[in-house]
Amino acid sequence: MSKAPEPVGSIDVAVGHATRLLEINPVLAAEQAGEILKAVPAHPPATLLLGVARRKGGDAAAALDVLGPLAAMHPQWALAHYELALALSSLDRNAAAITALQRAVTLKPDMADAWRALGDELTNAGDAAGADAAYAQNIRASTKDPRLLTAAAALCQNEIPQAEALLRAHLKKYPTDVAALRMLAEVAARLGRYEDAVTLLTRCLELAPSFTAARHHRAIVLHRQNKPAAALREVSELFKKDPRNPAYNNLKAAILARIGELQDSIEIYAAILAEHPAQPKIWLSYGHALKTSGRENDSIAAYNKSIALLPSLGEAYWSLANLKTVQFTNEDVEAMQLQLRRPDLAVDDRLHLHFAMGKALEDKGEYAASFEHYAQGNQLRHAQLSYQPDEMSTHVRRVKSLFTAQFFAEKLNVEVEYFNPLKNVEIDPALNGAPKTRSDLATRDALPGEIRLAREHR
């Protein structure tokens, strides 16, 4: 008498249970898969599970014995080819692994893990261009990866600890996932840990040199670190692909303004705005450059233009107030009050509007109301600061203990070369030009698999 077939539901439950065992006990998962296959021979998910469990259990050869026939029997199953490739890679069969991964991504182009693994294999094979292309596809596919979507949602909601924890856990398992590396760099940048952010973005670009979003982000972080030469070098690379990109030109103009190349900066801003006039924040930056160059009337016109385009832009109102020569009209005051009544107004806009209102009412002699706005603005600003008195006190004590009279006496005869951050850069003032470097920056060490962002108190 033949044995009755197992109900489908119970098989699915058993496969699900064995799948959950994979990460914690692959040997037990393999045993569970074997029991399923005794009941339902050649069951595809159970066969795949057996192969994966054997690989995770350290027996890649046995895994290959299972996964090779499975992929041959199911030539349209992307996951089978992907797992076959991982087994082949574990056996150092690089060329065969690449072939299997190429088959997997052909069948399922949005398979982020397969693109990342393909990038790794091509890197090992010395195919830098191919690896770059594969990592770029990994970035695109990762936008649909639920593991990264959860971290992205946490970032969007400014839940930084949750985002960092999710990304660190993901990168511990997949250290070459360039999309996750870039997201973790964003976490670091938001925390003000710019060195960590640069390290992460550098690793991104080592893996995927054409990842322009990572290069742009690295240029921004370098600018925030006040490293203009390095930032301009990144902008130079960005210009090679898209010389008229307004974001790249805006960044270049901001860098040039910071180092005092105001005329070049103003010309770039003017050229951007001639092509893209409806950009309130670029008008704001343009106003800053004009003000610094002494063209006050033109800066006032630029600030007013940014307000006309975006009435909630509090920094533009504060920039006018900070000139100390502008008297706000009653209409200006009413416009600022209207914005302050908005419940959805961004915190930065709100605090700048409070400061601008303080100045406007102070000029009108309404000192009590003026002080109230200053107080509210400062309260909002205080909440944004992470100043730690104890940390500063510790730093000062360490500085005082090192820089003693004896220290300086010993260093009196030591020659110190003045450091010029632009020593090796020629600035091309043309809109589409870029810095011309005479030497390259030293490359940083590759990032280890375990990503650490914890601040170290030195």
Side-chain angles (χ1 to χ4, degrees):
M1 186 173 181
S2 62
K3 185 178 179 180
E6 291 287 333
V8 174
S10 63
I11 295 296
D12 290 343
V13 170
V15 170
H17 175 67
T19 301
R20 289 190 292 274
L21 287 172
L22 272 176
E23 297 300 328
I24 56 175
N25 194 332
V27 174
L28 191 56
E31 291 177 3
Q32 178 77 46
E35 291 300 317
I36 296 169
L37 289 168
K38 288 179 184 178
V40 187
H43 185 269
T47 305
L48 180 72
L49 181 61
L50 177 61
V52 175
R54 286 181 175 177
R55 176 178 62 80
K56 286 182 176 287
D59 193 347
L64 185 60
D65 290 340
V66 174
L67 295 168
L70 179 68
M73 190 178 297
H74 300 278
Q76 302 301 312
W77 192 7
L79 187 57
H81 290 281
Y82 168 67
E83 291 295 346
L84 171 62
L86 297 186
L88 289 164
S89 178
S90 297
L91 295 168
D92 294 325
R93 293 177 58 180
N94 178 258
I98 289 173
T99 299
L101 287 166
Q102 288 171 334
R103 177 63 178 164
V105 297
T106 299
L107 292 168
K108 190 173 173 57
D110 61 349
M111 196 173 186
D113 287 344
W115 282 115
R116 188 199 63 257
L118 180 58
D120 293 347
E121 293 299 324
L122 291 169
T123 297
N124 293 336
D127 184 355
D132 183 21
Y135 286 131
Q137 290 294 336
N138 166 248
I139 296 160
R140 179 179 297 178
S142 292
T143 60
K144 301 177 183 178
D145 188 332
R147 294 166 299 187
L148 293 184
L149 286 175
T150 304
L155 264 178
C156 291
Q157 295 163 13
N158 209 33
E159 296 174 355
I160 300 301
Q162 181 187 356
E164 182 176 351
L166 289 168
L167 290 166
R168 286 179 54 145
H170 181 81
L171 283 164
K172 187 172 183 179
K173 191 173 182 181
Y174 306 108
T176 58
D177 189 329
V178 287
L181 284 167
R182 187 201 170 200
M183 290 171 67
L184 190 56
E186 174 63 25
V187 169
R190 290 196 191 184
L191 293 172
R193 300 173 186 170
Y194 295 130
E195 284 296 331
D196 291 323
V198 169
T199 299
L200 289 158
L201 292 166
T202 298
R203 180 58 174 154
C204 278
L205 292 167
E206 287 172 354
L207 293 166
S210 66
F211 190 0
T212 54
R215 191 173 298 281
H216 185 213
H217 193 185
R218 185 164 70 171
I220 292 170
V221 174
L222 289 166
H223 174 52
R224 290 176 183 171
Q225 288 183 293
N226 200 27
K227 296 181 177 179
L232 285 170
R233 271 190 277 271
E234 296 298 337
V235 174
S236 173
E237 290 298 314
L238 293 167
F239 277 146
K240 290 177 182 178
K241 290 191 174 182
D242 192 359
R244 302 198 69 80
N245 185 298
Y248 303 163
N249 279 288
N250 184 37
L251 177 58
K252 181 181 179 182
I255 297 168
L256 293 175
R258 178 171 290 182
I259 62 177
E261 299 287 343
L262 291 171
Q263 187 54 42
D264 292 341
S265 174
I266 288 169
E267 289 176 5
I268 292 173
Y269 281 132
I272 297 171
L273 292 168
E275 291 190 17
H276 307 278
Q279 297 293 326
K281 292 193 176 180
I282 296 182
W283 279 105
L284 178 66
S285 298
Y286 185 38
H288 293 337
L290 290 166
K291 177 193 71 174
T292 308
S293 70
R295 294 169 57 181
E296 185 174 293
N297 289 336
D298 290 334
S299 73
I300 291 171
Y303 291 143
N304 281 323
K305 179 65 174 180
S306 67
I307 292 169
L309 290 168
L310 186 61
S312 63
L313 190 55
E315 188 181 349
Y317 279 107
W318 172 239
S319 297
L320 287 169
N322 205 33
L323 289 171
K324 306 295 192 293
T325 58
V326 173
Q327 296 285 325
F328 287 117
T329 65
N330 291 334
E331 290 75 15
D332 293 329
V333 171
E334 289 173 5
M336 287 189 281
Q337 289 173 330
L338 178 65
Q339 295 300 319
L340 284 169
R341 287 195 290 269
R342 287 177 48 182
D344 62 338
L345 188 65
V347 173
D348 276 347
D349 290 321
R350 188 175 298 279
L351 70 88
H352 281 113
L353 282 166
H354 275 305
F355 288 140
M357 280 292 297
K359 172 65 165 58
L361 295 174
E362 181 183 355
D363 289 343
K364 293 177 179 294
E366 300 177 24
Y367 301 117
S370 168
F371 184 84
E372 180 61 28
H373 279 288
Y374 283 135
Q376 290 185 57
N378 278 302
Q379 185 177 18
L380 291 171
R381 182 63 182 135
H382 181 267
Q384 294 180 330
L385 301 176
S386 58
Y387 174 68
Q388 299 293 332
D390 292 340
E391 184 177 331
M392 179 59 72
S393 297
T394 299
H395 175 71
V396 170
R397 282 197 299 272
R398 288 179 176 176
V399 170
K400 290 172 72 175
S401 67
L402 174 62
F403 295 107
T404 61
Q406 181 180 352
F407 175 89
F408 286 109
E410 292 172 353
K411 305 298 181 184
L412 278 177
N413 297 321
V414 176
E415 293 185 5
V416 179
E417 181 182 355
Y418 171 70
F419 174 68
N420 178 3
L422 295 181
K423 180 179 179 180
N424 297 318
V425 179
E426 292 179 14
I427 304 300
D428 184 348
L431 171 62
N432 295 332
K436 301 174 182 178
T437 61
R438 290 191 288 268
S439 65
D440 295 324
L441 285 178
T443 57
R444 298 192 56 138
D445 291 337
L447 187 72
E450 177 72 20
I451 310 299
R452 301 187 183 279
L453 285 185
R455 177 178 295 174
E456 296 178 4
H457 297 287
R458 298 179 176 86

